[in-house]
Amino acid sequence: MPRYDAKRIEAHWQQYWETHQTFRTEDTIPTGEEANKPKLYVLDMFPYPSGSGLHVGHPEGYTATDIVCRYSRMKGMNVLHPMGWDAFGLPAEEHAVKTGTHPRETTEQNIATFKRQLKMLGFSYDWERELATTDPDYYRWTQWIFLQLFDTWYDADHVWTGPDGVERKGKGRPISELPIPEEILASGGASALRVDAAGNALGGLTPNRSPEVSEAIRRYQDKHRLAYVSEAPVNWCPALGTVLANEEIIDGKSERGGHPVVRMPLKQWMLRITAYADRLASELEPLTWSDSIKFMQRNWIGRSTGAEVDFLVDTRDSASGRASALRDSAAGNALGGLTPNRSPDELVIRVYTTRPDTLFGVTYMVLAPEHPLVQKITTDKQRAAVDEYIRKSSLKSDLDRTDLAKEKSGVFTGGHAINPVNGERVPVWIADYVLISYGTGAIMAVPAHDERDYEFAKTFGIPIVQVVAPAEGSGHTVEIETAAFTETGVSVNSGTYNGLPTADFKSQITKDLTASGLGKEAVNYRLRDWLFSRQRYWGEPFPIWHELDADGNPTGLMRADSAESLPVLHPHMDDFKPTGSPEPMLAKATPEWLYKTDTDGVKLKRETNSMPQWAGSCWYYLRFCDNKNAETFIDPEKEKYWLPVDLYIGGAEHAVLHLLYSRFWHKVLFDRGHVSTPEPFQKLVNQGMILGEPDENGKAEKMSKSRGNVVNPDDVVKDYGADSLRLYEMFMGPLEQVKPWQMSGVEGVYRFLGRVWRMIVDDRAETTTLSAAVVDSPPAEDQLRMLHKTIKAVTDDIDRLSFNTAISRMMEFTNFMSGQETRSKSVLEQFVLLLNPFAPHIAEELWNTLKAPQLELLENAGLLKGHNVTLTYEQWPTYDPALLVEDTVEVPVQVNGKIRAKIVVPADLDAKTLEAAARSDDAVQKHLEGKTVVKVVAVPGRMVNFVVR
RNA sequence: GGCCAGGUGGCGAAACAGGCAGACGCACGGGACUUAAAAUCCCGGGUCCCUAACGGGACGUACGGGUUCGAUUCCCGUCCUGGCUACCA
């Protein structure tokens, strides 16, 4: 009993918190007195409950948020601090393939383990709000949000003012409000059919419209939805049995497991995140996120501005041998004399460039091997070589393609195109350094001013024409024989444009191209639409049906499940083995699950893809505010009260994926009026990774099973207790920094807690009683001053999430106080309150020991209630600034910047007197002897510096 | 290659606004208590030099320059480490 017994104390208080629901946040929005409390929503990135249990990396962020929450409760805030499980995902399904255990069973076991471990660490979560993305009550609403995406199109020109009062351009609107082009409305033969598309929720169908027109409208709408089906080359991973998003592929291999990935065309669900690219980039600005994360997001979105330029194909050497459409006058005029109203059989290569000012330097063009024009412009002579190149590059995985990055490859198609600015005939090549998925899939190559083009031109002996010269005084030099010049400058060899600075040239040529119909300003994004379907079992089924014709073939038309019919549950399955083909797992479901006939007699087949793991994590922070609501995904009042998340802490590995997807969904919900804030996470902090224990060379590596350096929180808690683990993880160093684990450091904070214990408790007594040194009398002045210094330091440190320094200040307090023969009880009580956010179990125990007489009185009077016992809702200590002022200070005295003496003077001594005091010091005089003082700098209370010669 | 973050004792680190570099902790050394050990408590410490000692001096925050009375802190250049990204036209 007398010794600091972490195990007993922690078990007792965890039990207490549980039975008294100490950390329960009221489900209703506070009213009356309570409404004056500021709200604080503090969120952890919820974990994937893996089979291996909690890792010491998890409690790092969780402890940080827990400190903020416990501190804020004591500051009188209404705190929301929930926890849940990102529980869909491949490992549970892979386990099912191996053992036949249903993924739900594995998932539930893993959740139980995680929950036990988190409770063991004493985090102050409101467990009433627990949720798992795999709960039907949860994914019902994931499916519902998908239907919102399915029901939304992006109106890029719509100018509107959101509930936040900010004017925006571009809005997600109901698909029923999508304007239908006249030619579609007229396509059914019925002339001038007037349609009020806005009036109809379901596909804009009106009874007086011909079936052909209705179908055309539906197909048109389907092309504009934020959730749409597209057939495109995607990343198929045979080992995982699923397609993967670009974001999930690293160096041509799957991020999970490192399996090879091949590209093949497949029909897949896509989410139109590119529509929100601009807003996702620009609305990042006001958020309190680290610059590096903002930068990574902006980079991922990769907005660039430039121009699209049309190059007419010179058909005289095309394989088809068609009559030339090229006017021979082409070369005559500045802009090639090409007229905008071209004949339909002319072939045009449209390129995207950020440097339209280098158009005069184009010496060849490149199409991506997959470009649709390749076949048309390839000459018979080159056909064999071109086909061979296409075949080879299609076989290459992305990995091979990047591996070969150093060596440029490509083949001449035999075709030529006409440079619109000077009418020159330029050869057209294909090469895999041009990607079909970016820009137009074709480039104009300017070897003189682009490194990649330069390298390619050198490899294949293509001419290099310099059209930009360094601006005068820029300090740049050009040696076009050895390297490309990629800087901006002044144009040369560019006809009438000569002498223009790059920026001016860009805007001028873009204007001229636009005027002649040969080009236009264009914006491009690195960001691609989000591939949203997977072929696995353990993910959310899509709430979508495909219409079948009389023969049972899909017509390409779709129907959505009604919101009321959700959730779409998983079918029962015994066999979880991947099909080995891109055929989804759910296609193996029973016919009852797969097929139905709708009320209008149309046969329907279920969508058998499932959603990716990102889906559930895109909106969980919303559901925490109202996790039991059966009517809607979140009550609008609760959403308004709790959102946005005030502090979000998690690993930097989610810098672009989860955090971008989540923001995208949130913006769609915002546009559709379901949430009131444009952004979900106001402040974001990334904790640094915890590395393994350093080896004998002092080198620390990432924890991993294969290195055998994984630290299990269970073991640490067993040996030292949860308070020590929490304290150590915060004491290691700054939260955001990468730092190595050192078990001896845990020992150190454990010793500190022992000192705190003995500072207050008599560790030789039979029961937990106060140390004889603790006296119930007014504190001595130095104790009081130490306390107030500590209160200020700890408070300031928590406010800036500097937990390591907060702990060291509490250590200083303890070192000082332990040395005092009598310790004021009131001072110790205040200190225990400061300790509480960091080491809550021992703090509760000490608080109750210090408060025992008062508590006993209350108990005898029958007034003892839960919140009288726990210190959770005690007021956070405040400090008196007057007590922090020292009477005297030690001031360093420098001579020529070198410290020669330290003098003790009254703290408020003015500069003149301070200088005199410094000058009279013996050591200073010695250094001033025989020298001339040219200048004296005296800063009251800080320092004195004599400048001598 | 590009971008971001960082480089301070044997180690993790601190110095928040240009003003005493190394708080706090670990490891280490010495001492007390003990039959002994553990636990606990006390003391010590950047490096080098001078001194028997008290004490004193020089150097020191990756490296080289600069601004300043004064630089770990600001500026320029170089090197190294970690992270992200990678033919995005």
Side-chain angles (χ1 to χ4, degrees), chain A residues 519-560:
Chain A
K520 60 170 193 253
E521 203 179 327
V523 175
N524 253 299
Y525 301 95
R526 212 188 79 109
L527 184 71
R528 312 285 150 77
D529 276 346
W530 173 13
L531 175 68
F532 192 68
S533 41
R534 301 291 183 275
Q535 288 67 49
R536 304 310 309 245
Y537 175 82
W538 199 225
E540 299 87 346
F542 282 83
I544 293 288
W545 295 88
H546 297 277
E547 291 186 9
L548 301 178
D549 64 18
D551 303 324
N553 295 317
T555 63
L557 293 167
M558 292 177 285
R559 296 187 181 192

Short mmCIF file of all heavy atoms in Angstrom, two decimals, chain A residues 519-560:
data_model
loop_
_atom_site.label_atom_id
_atom_site.label_comp_id
_atom_site.label_asym_id
_atom_site.label_seq_id
_atom_site.Cartn_x
_atom_site.Cartn_y
_atom_site.Cartn_z
N GLY A 519 -6.07 27.73 -80.11
CA GLY A 519 -5.67 27.35 -78.77
C GLY A 519 -6.45 28.15 -77.76
O GLY A 519 -7.30 28.96 -78.11
N LYS A 520 -6.21 27.87 -76.51
CA LYS A 520 -6.88 28.62 -75.46
C LYS A 520 -6.13 28.41 -74.15
O LYS A 520 -5.34 27.48 -74.00
CB LYS A 520 -8.33 28.16 -75.32
CG LYS A 520 -8.48 26.68 -74.99
CD LYS A 520 -9.93 26.37 -74.64
CE LYS A 520 -10.06 25.01 -74.00
NZ LYS A 520 -10.65 23.97 -74.80
N GLU A 521 -6.40 29.31 -73.23
CA GLU A 521 -5.83 29.16 -71.90
C GLU A 521 -6.38 27.89 -71.27
O GLU A 521 -7.54 27.55 -71.50
CB GLU A 521 -6.22 30.38 -71.06
CG GLU A 521 -5.27 30.61 -69.92
CD GLU A 521 -5.66 31.84 -69.10
OE1 GLU A 521 -6.20 32.80 -69.68
OE2 GLU A 521 -5.42 31.81 -67.89
N ALA A 522 -5.57 27.20 -70.50
CA ALA A 522 -6.04 25.96 -69.90
C ALA A 522 -5.40 25.75 -68.53
O ALA A 522 -4.30 26.21 -68.27
CB ALA A 522 -5.73 24.77 -70.80
N VAL A 523 -6.16 25.06 -67.69
CA VAL A 523 -5.66 24.70 -66.36
C VAL A 523 -5.62 23.19 -66.29
O VAL A 523 -6.51 22.51 -66.80
CB VAL A 523 -6.61 25.24 -65.27
CG1 VAL A 523 -6.16 24.78 -63.89
CG2 VAL A 523 -6.65 26.76 -65.32
N ASN A 524 -4.59 22.66 -65.69
CA ASN A 524 -4.49 21.21 -65.54
C ASN A 524 -4.18 20.85 -64.11
O ASN A 524 -3.59 21.63 -63.36
CB ASN A 524 -3.41 20.65 -66.44
CG ASN A 524 -4.02 19.91 -67.62
OD1 ASN A 524 -4.73 18.93 -67.42
ND2 ASN A 524 -3.77 20.39 -68.81
N TYR A 525 -4.58 19.64 -63.74
CA TYR A 525 -4.33 19.15 -62.39
C TYR A 525 -3.63 17.81 -62.47
O TYR A 525 -3.92 17.00 -63.33
CB TYR A 525 -5.65 18.98 -61.63
CG TYR A 525 -6.42 20.26 -61.52
CD1 TYR A 525 -7.41 20.57 -62.43
CD2 TYR A 525 -6.12 21.16 -60.51
CE1 TYR A 525 -8.11 21.76 -62.35
CE2 TYR A 525 -6.81 22.35 -60.41
CZ TYR A 525 -7.81 22.64 -61.34
OH TYR A 525 -8.48 23.82 -61.23
N ARG A 526 -2.75 17.62 -61.53
CA ARG A 526 -2.13 16.32 -61.37
C ARG A 526 -3.14 15.33 -60.79
O ARG A 526 -3.11 14.15 -61.04
CB ARG A 526 -0.95 16.46 -60.40
CG ARG A 526 0.20 15.55 -60.64
CD ARG A 526 1.18 15.68 -59.48
NE ARG A 526 0.71 14.93 -58.34
CZ ARG A 526 1.27 13.81 -57.92
NH1 ARG A 526 2.34 13.36 -58.50
NH2 ARG A 526 0.78 13.17 -56.89
N LEU A 527 -4.02 15.90 -59.98
CA LEU A 527 -5.07 15.11 -59.33
C LEU A 527 -5.95 14.42 -60.38
O LEU A 527 -6.35 15.04 -61.36
CB LEU A 527 -5.92 16.04 -58.46
CG LEU A 527 -7.03 15.43 -57.62
CD1 LEU A 527 -6.41 14.65 -56.47
CD2 LEU A 527 -7.95 16.51 -57.08
N ARG A 528 -6.24 13.16 -60.17
CA ARG A 528 -7.15 12.43 -61.06
C ARG A 528 -8.42 12.12 -60.29
O ARG A 528 -8.42 12.13 -59.06
CB ARG A 528 -6.54 11.09 -61.52
CG ARG A 528 -5.15 11.18 -62.01
CD ARG A 528 -5.08 11.81 -63.39
NE ARG A 528 -3.81 12.53 -63.54
CZ ARG A 528 -2.65 11.94 -63.78
NH1 ARG A 528 -2.58 10.64 -63.90
NH2 ARG A 528 -1.56 12.65 -63.89
N ASP A 529 -9.44 11.77 -61.03
CA ASP A 529 -10.66 11.34 -60.34
C ASP A 529 -10.35 10.09 -59.52
O ASP A 529 -9.45 9.31 -59.84
CB ASP A 529 -11.78 11.09 -61.34
CG ASP A 529 -12.49 12.40 -61.68
OD1 ASP A 529 -12.27 13.39 -60.94
OD2 ASP A 529 -13.22 12.45 -62.67
N TRP A 530 -11.10 9.94 -58.46
CA TRP A 530 -10.81 8.93 -57.45
C TRP A 530 -11.47 7.59 -57.82
O TRP A 530 -12.69 7.52 -57.88
CB TRP A 530 -11.30 9.48 -56.11
CG TRP A 530 -11.26 8.56 -54.94
CD1 TRP A 530 -10.61 7.38 -54.82
CD2 TRP A 530 -11.89 8.80 -53.68
NE1 TRP A 530 -10.78 6.86 -53.58
CE2 TRP A 530 -11.57 7.69 -52.86
CE3 TRP A 530 -12.69 9.82 -53.17
CZ2 TRP A 530 -12.04 7.59 -51.55
CZ3 TRP A 530 -13.15 9.70 -51.88
CH2 TRP A 530 -12.83 8.61 -51.08
N LEU A 531 -10.64 6.60 -58.05
CA LEU A 531 -11.14 5.26 -58.35
C LEU A 531 -11.75 4.66 -57.08
O LEU A 531 -11.04 4.39 -56.12
CB LEU A 531 -9.99 4.38 -58.85
CG LEU A 531 -10.34 2.93 -59.09
CD1 LEU A 531 -11.30 2.80 -60.26
CD2 LEU A 531 -9.09 2.13 -59.32
N PHE A 532 -13.04 4.48 -57.10
CA PHE A 532 -13.76 4.25 -55.85
C PHE A 532 -14.27 2.82 -55.67
O PHE A 532 -14.87 2.51 -54.66
CB PHE A 532 -14.93 5.23 -55.77
CG PHE A 532 -15.59 5.32 -54.42
CD1 PHE A 532 -14.89 5.85 -53.34
CD2 PHE A 532 -16.88 4.86 -54.22
CE1 PHE A 532 -15.49 5.93 -52.09
CE2 PHE A 532 -17.48 4.94 -52.97
CZ PHE A 532 -16.78 5.48 -51.90
N SER A 533 -14.04 1.94 -56.63
CA SER A 533 -14.56 0.58 -56.42
C SER A 533 -13.45 -0.43 -56.19
O SER A 533 -12.35 -0.29 -56.69
CB SER A 533 -15.44 0.16 -57.59
OG SER A 533 -14.89 0.57 -58.80
N ARG A 534 -13.78 -1.42 -55.39
CA ARG A 534 -12.85 -2.51 -55.11
C ARG A 534 -13.60 -3.81 -55.36
O ARG A 534 -14.83 -3.83 -55.38
CB ARG A 534 -12.36 -2.46 -53.67
CG ARG A 534 -11.63 -1.16 -53.30
CD ARG A 534 -10.29 -1.02 -54.00
NE ARG A 534 -9.59 0.17 -53.57
CZ ARG A 534 -9.79 1.38 -54.10
NH1 ARG A 534 -10.67 1.54 -55.09
NH2 ARG A 534 -9.12 2.42 -53.66
N GLN A 535 -12.86 -4.89 -55.47
CA GLN A 535 -13.49 -6.16 -55.81
C GLN A 535 -13.56 -7.10 -54.61
O GLN A 535 -13.67 -8.30 -54.74
CB GLN A 535 -12.72 -6.83 -56.97
CG GLN A 535 -12.93 -6.13 -58.30
CD GLN A 535 -12.33 -4.73 -58.32
OE1 GLN A 535 -11.19 -4.52 -57.95
NE2 GLN A 535 -13.12 -3.76 -58.75
N ARG A 536 -13.51 -6.51 -53.41
CA ARG A 536 -13.43 -7.34 -52.22
C ARG A 536 -14.79 -7.47 -51.52
O ARG A 536 -15.72 -6.73 -51.79
CB ARG A 536 -12.40 -6.75 -51.24
CG ARG A 536 -11.03 -6.58 -51.82
CD ARG A 536 -10.49 -7.82 -52.52
NE ARG A 536 -10.57 -9.03 -51.74
CZ ARG A 536 -9.52 -9.71 -51.32
NH1 ARG A 536 -8.30 -9.31 -51.61
NH2 ARG A 536 -9.67 -10.82 -50.62
N TYR A 537 -14.82 -8.41 -50.59
CA TYR A 537 -16.04 -8.67 -49.83
C TYR A 537 -16.18 -7.67 -48.68
O TYR A 537 -17.24 -7.10 -48.45
CB TYR A 537 -15.97 -10.09 -49.26
CG TYR A 537 -17.13 -10.44 -48.33
CD1 TYR A 537 -18.34 -10.85 -48.85
CD2 TYR A 537 -16.99 -10.35 -46.95
CE1 TYR A 537 -19.41 -11.16 -48.01
CE2 TYR A 537 -18.04 -10.65 -46.10
CZ TYR A 537 -19.25 -11.06 -46.63
OH TYR A 537 -20.30 -11.36 -45.81
N TRP A 538 -15.07 -7.43 -47.97
CA TRP A 538 -15.15 -6.72 -46.69
C TRP A 538 -15.05 -5.19 -46.89
O TRP A 538 -14.11 -4.54 -46.49
CB TRP A 538 -14.08 -7.25 -45.74
CG TRP A 538 -14.31 -6.95 -44.29
CD1 TRP A 538 -13.37 -6.50 -43.41
CD2 TRP A 538 -15.52 -7.09 -43.54
NE1 TRP A 538 -13.94 -6.36 -42.16
CE2 TRP A 538 -15.25 -6.72 -42.21
CE3 TRP A 538 -16.82 -7.51 -43.86
CZ2 TRP A 538 -16.22 -6.73 -41.21
CZ3 TRP A 538 -17.79 -7.52 -42.86
CH2 TRP A 538 -17.48 -7.14 -41.57
N GLY A 539 -16.05 -4.67 -47.57
CA GLY A 539 -16.18 -3.24 -47.79
C GLY A 539 -17.67 -2.96 -47.97
O GLY A 539 -18.48 -3.90 -48.07
N GLU A 540 -18.04 -1.69 -47.99
CA GLU A 540 -19.45 -1.36 -48.11
C GLU A 540 -19.97 -1.73 -49.50
O GLU A 540 -19.40 -1.29 -50.50
CB GLU A 540 -19.68 0.13 -47.91
CG GLU A 540 -19.28 0.66 -46.55
CD GLU A 540 -17.82 1.09 -46.46
OE1 GLU A 540 -17.05 0.73 -47.38
OE2 GLU A 540 -17.45 1.77 -45.48
N PRO A 541 -21.07 -2.51 -49.59
CA PRO A 541 -21.68 -2.74 -50.90
C PRO A 541 -22.27 -1.43 -51.43
O PRO A 541 -22.66 -0.56 -50.66
CB PRO A 541 -22.81 -3.74 -50.60
CG PRO A 541 -22.46 -4.34 -49.28
CD PRO A 541 -21.72 -3.28 -48.53
N PHE A 542 -22.30 -1.30 -52.75
CA PHE A 542 -22.89 -0.10 -53.36
C PHE A 542 -24.41 -0.20 -53.36
O PHE A 542 -24.96 -1.26 -53.67
CB PHE A 542 -22.42 0.04 -54.82
CG PHE A 542 -21.03 0.59 -54.95
CD1 PHE A 542 -19.93 -0.25 -54.83
CD2 PHE A 542 -20.83 1.93 -55.22
CE1 PHE A 542 -18.64 0.26 -54.97
CE2 PHE A 542 -19.54 2.44 -55.36
CZ PHE A 542 -18.44 1.61 -55.23
N PRO A 543 -25.11 0.87 -53.08
CA PRO A 543 -26.57 0.86 -53.11
C PRO A 543 -27.09 1.12 -54.52
O PRO A 543 -27.89 2.03 -54.74
CB PRO A 543 -26.94 1.99 -52.15
CG PRO A 543 -25.80 2.96 -52.25
CD PRO A 543 -24.58 2.17 -52.57
N ILE A 544 -26.60 0.35 -55.48
CA ILE A 544 -26.89 0.60 -56.90
C ILE A 544 -27.31 -0.70 -57.59
O ILE A 544 -26.77 -1.77 -57.29
CB ILE A 544 -25.63 1.16 -57.60
CG1 ILE A 544 -25.28 2.55 -57.06
CG2 ILE A 544 -25.78 1.18 -59.12
CD1 ILE A 544 -26.20 3.67 -57.48
N TRP A 545 -28.30 -0.56 -58.50
CA TRP A 545 -28.72 -1.69 -59.34
C TRP A 545 -28.48 -1.36 -60.81
O TRP A 545 -28.60 -0.21 -61.20
CB TRP A 545 -30.22 -1.97 -59.16
CG TRP A 545 -30.59 -2.41 -57.78
CD1 TRP A 545 -30.90 -1.62 -56.72
CD2 TRP A 545 -30.71 -3.76 -57.33
NE1 TRP A 545 -31.20 -2.39 -55.62
CE2 TRP A 545 -31.09 -3.72 -55.96
CE3 TRP A 545 -30.52 -5.02 -57.93
CZ2 TRP A 545 -31.30 -4.87 -55.21
CZ3 TRP A 545 -30.74 -6.16 -57.17
CH2 TRP A 545 -31.12 -6.08 -55.82
N HIS A 546 -28.18 -2.39 -61.58
CA HIS A 546 -28.02 -2.21 -63.03
C HIS A 546 -29.23 -2.80 -63.74
O HIS A 546 -29.63 -3.93 -63.45
CB HIS A 546 -26.75 -2.91 -63.52
CG HIS A 546 -25.51 -2.32 -62.92
ND1 HIS A 546 -24.91 -1.20 -63.43
CD2 HIS A 546 -24.79 -2.69 -61.82
CE1 HIS A 546 -23.85 -0.90 -62.68
NE2 HIS A 546 -23.76 -1.78 -61.70
N GLU A 547 -29.79 -2.03 -64.66
CA GLU A 547 -30.94 -2.54 -65.42
C GLU A 547 -30.47 -3.59 -66.43
O GLU A 547 -29.40 -3.46 -67.02
CB GLU A 547 -31.62 -1.38 -66.17
CG GLU A 547 -32.32 -0.41 -65.23
CD GLU A 547 -33.12 0.65 -65.98
OE1 GLU A 547 -33.26 0.54 -67.22
OE2 GLU A 547 -33.58 1.60 -65.32
N LEU A 548 -31.30 -4.62 -66.59
CA LEU A 548 -31.00 -5.68 -67.56
C LEU A 548 -32.07 -5.67 -68.64
O LEU A 548 -33.24 -5.39 -68.37
CB LEU A 548 -30.98 -7.05 -66.87
CG LEU A 548 -29.98 -7.20 -65.72
CD1 LEU A 548 -30.10 -8.60 -65.11
CD2 LEU A 548 -28.55 -6.96 -66.20
N ASP A 549 -31.65 -6.01 -69.85
CA ASP A 549 -32.65 -6.13 -70.92
C ASP A 549 -33.28 -7.52 -70.87
O ASP A 549 -32.96 -8.33 -69.99
CB ASP A 549 -32.03 -5.79 -72.28
CG ASP A 549 -30.94 -6.78 -72.67
OD1 ASP A 549 -30.90 -7.89 -72.07
OD2 ASP A 549 -30.12 -6.44 -73.55
N ALA A 550 -34.13 -7.81 -71.83
CA ALA A 550 -34.87 -9.06 -71.83
C ALA A 550 -33.94 -10.27 -71.84
O ALA A 550 -34.26 -11.32 -71.28
CB ALA A 550 -35.81 -9.10 -73.04
N ASP A 551 -32.75 -10.11 -72.45
CA ASP A 551 -31.81 -11.23 -72.52
C ASP A 551 -30.91 -11.31 -71.28
O ASP A 551 -30.01 -12.13 -71.21
CB ASP A 551 -30.91 -11.09 -73.76
CG ASP A 551 -31.75 -11.02 -75.03
OD1 ASP A 551 -32.79 -11.70 -75.06
OD2 ASP A 551 -31.37 -10.26 -75.94
N GLY A 552 -31.14 -10.41 -70.35
CA GLY A 552 -30.33 -10.43 -69.13
C GLY A 552 -29.01 -9.69 -69.26
O GLY A 552 -28.12 -9.83 -68.42
N ASN A 553 -28.84 -8.91 -70.34
CA ASN A 553 -27.61 -8.12 -70.50
C ASN A 553 -27.81 -6.72 -69.94
O ASN A 553 -28.89 -6.15 -70.07
CB ASN A 553 -27.23 -8.02 -71.98
CG ASN A 553 -26.89 -9.39 -72.54
OD1 ASN A 553 -26.20 -10.18 -71.90
ND2 ASN A 553 -27.42 -9.68 -73.72
N PRO A 554 -26.76 -6.17 -69.35
CA PRO A 554 -26.90 -4.82 -68.80
C PRO A 554 -27.13 -3.78 -69.89
O PRO A 554 -26.51 -3.85 -70.95
CB PRO A 554 -25.57 -4.57 -68.08
CG PRO A 554 -24.64 -5.63 -68.54
CD PRO A 554 -25.44 -6.76 -69.08
N THR A 555 -28.02 -2.87 -69.63
CA THR A 555 -28.31 -1.82 -70.61
C THR A 555 -27.41 -0.60 -70.40
O THR A 555 -27.42 0.31 -71.20
CB THR A 555 -29.76 -1.35 -70.46
OG1 THR A 555 -29.89 -0.77 -69.14
CG2 THR A 555 -30.74 -2.49 -70.62
N GLY A 556 -26.70 -0.60 -69.28
CA GLY A 556 -25.88 0.57 -68.96
C GLY A 556 -26.64 1.60 -68.13
O GLY A 556 -26.06 2.58 -67.70
N LEU A 557 -27.92 1.36 -67.92
CA LEU A 557 -28.70 2.28 -67.08
C LEU A 557 -28.71 1.75 -65.64
O LEU A 557 -28.63 0.55 -65.41
CB LEU A 557 -30.13 2.39 -67.62
CG LEU A 557 -30.23 3.09 -68.98
CD1 LEU A 557 -31.61 2.87 -69.58
CD2 LEU A 557 -29.91 4.57 -68.87
N MET A 558 -28.80 2.69 -64.71
CA MET A 558 -28.69 2.31 -63.30
C MET A 558 -29.86 2.83 -62.48
O MET A 558 -30.51 3.81 -62.87
CB MET A 558 -27.39 2.87 -62.72
CG MET A 558 -26.16 2.23 -63.29
SD MET A 558 -24.67 2.98 -62.63
CE MET A 558 -24.61 4.51 -63.49
N ARG A 559 -30.12 2.18 -61.37
CA ARG A 559 -31.09 2.67 -60.40
C ARG A 559 -30.46 2.66 -59.01
O ARG A 559 -29.72 1.73 -58.69
CB ARG A 559 -32.34 1.79 -60.39
CG ARG A 559 -33.06 1.83 -61.71
CD ARG A 559 -34.38 1.12 -61.68
NE ARG A 559 -34.97 1.21 -63.02
CZ ARG A 559 -36.22 0.88 -63.30
NH1 ARG A 559 -37.01 0.43 -62.34
NH2 ARG A 559 -36.67 1.00 -64.53
N ALA A 560 -30.75 3.66 -58.24
CA ALA A 560 -30.21 3.73 -56.89
C ALA A 560 -31.21 3.15 -55.90
O ALA A 560 -32.42 3.27 -56.09
CB ALA A 560 -29.91 5.18 -56.52
#
